[in-house]
Amino acid sequence: MSSPQFPSVPPSSPQLPPAPSVPATATILGVKVHALTNAHTLALIEAFIASGQPHQLCTVNPEFVVEAQHDEEFRQIINNAALALPDGIGLLKAARFLRTTPLPERVPGSDLVVRLAELSHHKGYRIYFLGARPGVAEKASAKLKDKYPNLQVAGCYAGSPALEENEAIAQRILATRPDILLVAYGAPKQDKWIARNLEKLQIPVCIGVGGSFDFIAGTAKRAPRWLQQLHLEWFHRLLTQPWRWRRIWNAVPRFSWLVVRRRFTLKK
Ligand code: UDP
């Protein structure tokens, strides 16, 4: 896998906006996370599209970091991604506690999808929606189009991350030539799917977006704003999707324990 690519932007002239700076990196339990704001992320995404080169973006949360402790392929994918977005308040707290590079704010994947729809509305970027249960990607993109009527939807397809379907799905997407590919297969499947297909597809921006289509389509409910502000989104998930207890266990107590242990054993 190639190392992170940032577009080489020509020297600034009065017509060109200044190139967005390369973000600093925090390392949390051996997993890289970029110190980004939402605005900086969007500026880099625009620069990636202008470059025409393929880039993989991961929306990292504490559960990813726990999973990456025993899934080396997944850890390598995140560490080689052009951008590893800090999607999860736990990462901001862990960065502070471990005294690594501070992470200025959360860049949640589901908010990013909405911001990209708005950007497409203004700039004409073409977005492909891959993943989720049949019909959900269509519903999510239709909702976004209601709000941003000039959104350019290159295509929608549920498909599956199974290897047998890989080639047919890649060909289907290639034919539509999107600027941005959103993949909603959940982690780590979505991130492995993108890593496997990045060179073949040559799409400038490929992002794993987890359950975002479900939230936007309304087939899953996000925690109310006040619970999000109290950093209790995990508690809402436990109440509404109790069968996910193991994942919540990994994201909250297990992650916290690993961070505390790392701080006091001073391992990198
Ligand atoms: N998903 C899928 N195919 C699969 C596994 C998951 O399309 O084989 C979809 C699922 O329907 C959901 C999304 O992946 O829309 C995210 O799944 P999950 O809720 O497990 O991920 P998270 O948001 O927690 O990362």
Side-chain angles (χ1 to χ4, degrees):
M1 168 133 340
S2 57
S3 54
Q5 295 162 6
F6 291 96
S8 54
V9 184
S12 50
S13 73
Q15 288 82 32
L16 291 171
S21 59
V22 174
T25 303
T27 304
I28 299 172
L29 303 172
V31 177
K32 287 186 185 170
V33 184
H34 286 116
L36 285 163
T37 61
N38 288 278
H40 192 176
T41 304
L42 286 180
L44 283 163
I45 286 176
E46 290 211 65
F48 292 164
I49 294 173
S51 80
Q53 298 298 309
H55 298 81
Q56 176 160 13
L57 279 66
C58 297
T59 51
V60 183
N61 63 31
E63 207 184 318
F64 281 47
V65 175
V66 172
E67 179 77 23
Q69 301 306 295
H70 54 84
D71 184 338
E72 181 57 22
E73 180 193 354
F74 187 38
R75 195 173 70 86
Q76 294 282 337
I77 287 171
I78 300 171
N79 287 352
N80 285 309
L83 295 181
L85 307 177
D87 175 346
I89 189 70
L91 298 180
L92 275 62
K93 292 184 175 182
R96 205 175 317 138
F97 187 71
L98 292 170
R99 299 176 182 149
T100 175
T101 306
L103 299 172
E105 70 179 17
R106 279 187 73 192
V107 183
S110 36
D111 293 349
L112 182 64
V113 173
V114 178
R115 291 194 170 99
L116 290 175
E118 186 181 7
L119 200 62
S120 161
H121 169 81
H122 293 297
K123 303 278 175 96
Y125 299 143
R126 294 165 52 71
I127 306 183
Y128 197 105
F129 296 74
L130 176 69
R133 288 186 306 280
V136 174
E138 285 82 353
K139 201 165 170 190
S141 64
K143 283 216 165 167
L144 290 169
K145 217 166 158 54
D146 276 349
K147 189 155 184 214
Y148 304 110
N150 297 330
L151 161 65
Q152 302 295 310
V153 180
C156 296
Y157 188 57
S160 136
L163 275 179
E164 310 82 81
E165 286 200 36
N166 193 88
E167 195 49 34
I169 295 177
Q171 292 307 324
R172 178 188 276 262
I173 297 169
L174 263 174
T176 69
R177 306 189 60 77
D179 301 295
I180 299 170
L181 171 64
L182 306 175
V183 184
Y185 285 146
K189 287 185 198 153
Q190 61 194 16
D191 308 281
K192 292 181 179 178
W193 193 94
I194 292 172
R196 200 161 65 228
N197 291 286
L198 192 67
E199 286 306 314
K200 182 189 300 170
L201 293 175
Q202 293 287 312
I203 297 170
V205 176
C206 299
I207 318 177
V209 295
S212 302
F213 298 171
D214 294 295
F215 291 136
I216 294 166
T219 48
K221 274 235 173 310
R222 223 175 146 186
R225 209 33 95 176
W226 65 273
L227 269 183
Q228 290 181 37
Q229 277 159 359
L230 289 173
H231 305 153
L232 290 174
E233 216 164 345
W234 64 270
F235 183 64
H236 181 262
R237 278 202 150 182
L238 188 60
L239 292 183
T240 54
Q241 304 173 321
W243 60 91
R244 296 170 66 120
W245 68 269
R246 189 187 287 281
R247 297 184 51 179
I248 296 162
W249 168 260
N250 276 344
V252 188
R254 186 127 186 257
F255 175 72
S256 308
W257 160 243
L258 292 174
V259 168
V260 168
R261 198 178 64 174
R262 180 63 55 103
R263 160 89 184 266
F264 294 109
T265 54
L266 297 172
K267 241 172 72 194
K268 261 280 166 198

